[in-house]
Amino acid sequence: MRVLVTGSKGFIAKNLIVRLLESGDSEVSEYSRESGAAQLQAAVRDTDFVVHLAGVNRPPDPAEFGTTNVGFTEELCAALRATGRPIPVIFSSSTQAGMDNPYGSSKRAAEEVIHAYGNQTGAPVYVYRLANVFGKWCRPNYNSVVATFCHNIARGLPIVVNDPSVKLSLAYVDDVVAEFIRILRDGPGNGSGEPLQIPVSYQSTVGELAAQITAFRDSRKSLVTERVGTGLTRALYATYISYCAPDHVMYEIPRHADARGVFVEMLKTPDAGQFSFFTAHPGVTRGGHYHHSKTEKFLVIAGEALFRFRHIITSERFEIRTTGDIPTVVETVPGWAHDITNTGKDEMIVMLWANENFDRERPDTIASRV
């Protein structure tokens, strides 16, 4: 499929173009502010679909709302009509198109131009009213509060929160791109005369955003990660990390060393335990304790290990041997004392997951020889 993307230097366009090229079945033509009228004519002649993302929302001169948002849309539609083909169009409008301000009025007028093109040619048109799109490559300190907060907090710069209670409707750029690609892949259909919305959206407040993004920064010290696996928190964390300067994508964590080896806690979770690793020199035994409720998973990633277990009441015993050559998880059992010995000639390295974060006041770790 041949796809023309206008506004190709913008952050939504950048994300879309990368995704289209990843598929390997799309040819992408890019049109930006620096392109000329001749390039537009050539691009529309050779395209199967247009994703119209070009526009301005904070021009130095308010007159640019008309010349760019409306004027260029008219120019684009005229070029599309001249092809004699009903070329489908996806148009990124704004929720402000329903508001009475210069930007909103210009987007509403551009919508009317797009719909007129569709009605006259029979081409399917899809007008999406987007609200507060955020994600990687969005310009900070411009018109996105998420981009500004992520950029500034990640780089130790101040943020300003005038009213933390202000409500926001947010759309993540990956969800926007996924919806556009769905339209491109599924076929144009009949289009729609009604403004469309991205199926996935999030609600938050300015204060909640500031607190969540600040928590991302602070988690490097506490080692307790936020719940970054799903939903808005996942999208915000990906965005936050994308704004870290190259010298801030790494951070040191505490390292505890003694004659046996080292022990390092890497990551803690709010409710699913923590991840660590430790080493042991040849012949060294670590552990020698039991738990009432805590459970652990051990994975030897280098070296040779002997795990020993003893039931604290019956004194029943068993042993397990593992090596880093055959990835094997060994789990501890409540009520069984256990230890691990390096039986090899080289240093042993072991990954460890515990189902709860270590609490010095209630460690649930009772010394007991195996």
Side-chain angles (χ1 to χ4, degrees):
M1 176 184 293
R2 298 167 299 179
V3 182
L4 169 62
V5 179
T6 70
S8 59
K9 303 299 183 184
F11 105 95
I12 297 178
K14 290 176 182 176
N15 281 271
L16 174 62
I17 291 168
V18 167
R19 291 286 294 277
L20 287 172
L21 294 177
E22 285 171 358
S23 67
D25 61 0
S26 297
E27 296 180 17
V28 180
S29 297
E30 301 181 27
Y31 188 91
S32 67
R33 186 186 296 267
E34 293 76 25
S35 306
Q39 185 175 340
L40 178 62
Q41 299 291 335
V44 297
R45 275 199 309 270
D46 296 330
T47 196
D48 300 313
F49 216 123
V50 175
V51 183
H52 180 25
L53 303 176
V56 295
N57 50 30
R58 281 195 176 183
D61 182 355
E64 287 188 46
F65 284 129
T67 57
T68 301
N69 293 347
V70 184
F72 176 70
T73 302
E74 291 174 335
E75 182 181 347
L76 171 65
C77 289
L80 290 170
R81 287 191 192 93
T83 66
R85 296 186 294 124
I87 300 172
V89 177
I90 295 174
F91 174 52
S92 65
S93 185
S94 167
T95 53
Q96 292 199 39
M99 302 178 185
D100 188 18
N101 58 57
Y103 173 63
S105 297
S106 69
K107 295 301 274 187
R108 187 166 59 252
E111 289 181 3
E112 294 171 357
V113 172
I114 292 289
H115 284 304
Y117 160 74
N119 292 333
Q120 293 167 8
T121 65
V125 297
Y126 301 85
V127 175
Y128 283 88
R129 287 189 173 179
L130 305 180
N132 298 304
V133 183
F134 69 96
K136 64 182 182 297
W137 307 329
C138 185
R139 179 179 172 184
N141 298 302
Y142 183 57
N143 70 331
S144 168
V145 64
V146 175
T148 299
F149 282 2
C150 285
H151 175 273
N152 287 16
I153 292 172
R155 294 168 182 251
L157 302 173
I159 62 171
V160 176
V161 179
N162 294 319
D163 184 353
S165 66
V166 171
K167 296 180 179 180
L168 296 172
S169 180
L170 303 168
Y172 184 43
V173 70
D174 281 12
D175 296 322
V176 173
V177 168
E179 174 66 3
F180 289 175
I181 290 179
R182 183 188 69 80
I183 296 294
L184 294 170
R185 296 285 185 262
D186 291 351
N190 295 320
S192 172
E194 298 297 323
L196 302 173
Q197 303 292 331
I198 301 302
V200 181
S201 63
Y202 303 102
Q203 308 301 314
S204 186
T205 67
V206 172
E208 289 167 347
L209 280 179
Q212 180 61 86
I213 296 168
T214 300
F216 293 151
R217 179 199 65 194
D218 295 345
S219 69
R220 290 188 171 190
K221 293 182 179 179
S222 69
L223 301 185
V224 180
T225 182
E226 295 295 295
R227 293 180 174 87
V228 297
T230 59
L232 177 60
T233 310
R234 169 182 175 271
L236 286 175
Y237 187 65
T239 305
Y240 169 77
I241 291 296
S242 75
Y243 286 97
C244 287
D247 58 348
H248 280 77
V249 297
M250 60 175 289
Y251 57 100
E252 293 186 0
I253 53 180
R255 177 179 181 272
H256 308 282
D258 57 28
R260 300 170 300 171
V262 302
F263 176 75
V264 178
E265 294 176 302
M266 174 189 173
L267 182 71
K268 302 178 182 181
T269 70
D271 51 17
Q274 68 179 66
F275 298 86
S276 314
F277 80 87
F278 63 85
T279 67
H281 301 304
V284 166
T285 297
R286 304 196 68 146
H289 56 244
Y290 66 87
H291 313 293
H292 289 292
S293 298
K294 181 186 296 185
T295 61
E296 299 163 317
K297 295 179 186 287
F298 293 88
L299 174 63
V300 177
I301 59 176
E304 302 175 7
L306 169 65
F307 291 88
R308 301 188 303 170
F309 293 83
R310 179 183 61 81
H311 194 287
I312 62 172
I313 293 179
T314 67
S315 291
E316 178 184 354
R317 299 169 185 269
F318 68 91
E319 297 181 351
I320 298 174
R321 293 181 181 272
T322 69
T323 73
D325 296 331
I326 304 175
T328 304
V329 171
V330 178
E331 293 198 83
T332 62
V333 185
W336 288 72
H338 51 272
D339 61 23
I340 177 173
T341 301
N342 181 353
T343 58
K345 297 180 180 180
D346 301 313
E347 183 179 56
M348 179 179 67
I349 304 174
V350 183
M351 289 182 61
L352 166 64
W353 170 81
N355 72 311
E356 59 188 47
N357 295 337
F358 183 72
D359 183 349
R360 293 187 181 279
E361 299 300 319
R362 302 177 59 187
D364 190 12
T365 300
I366 301 90
S368 181
R369 295 183 62 181
V370 179

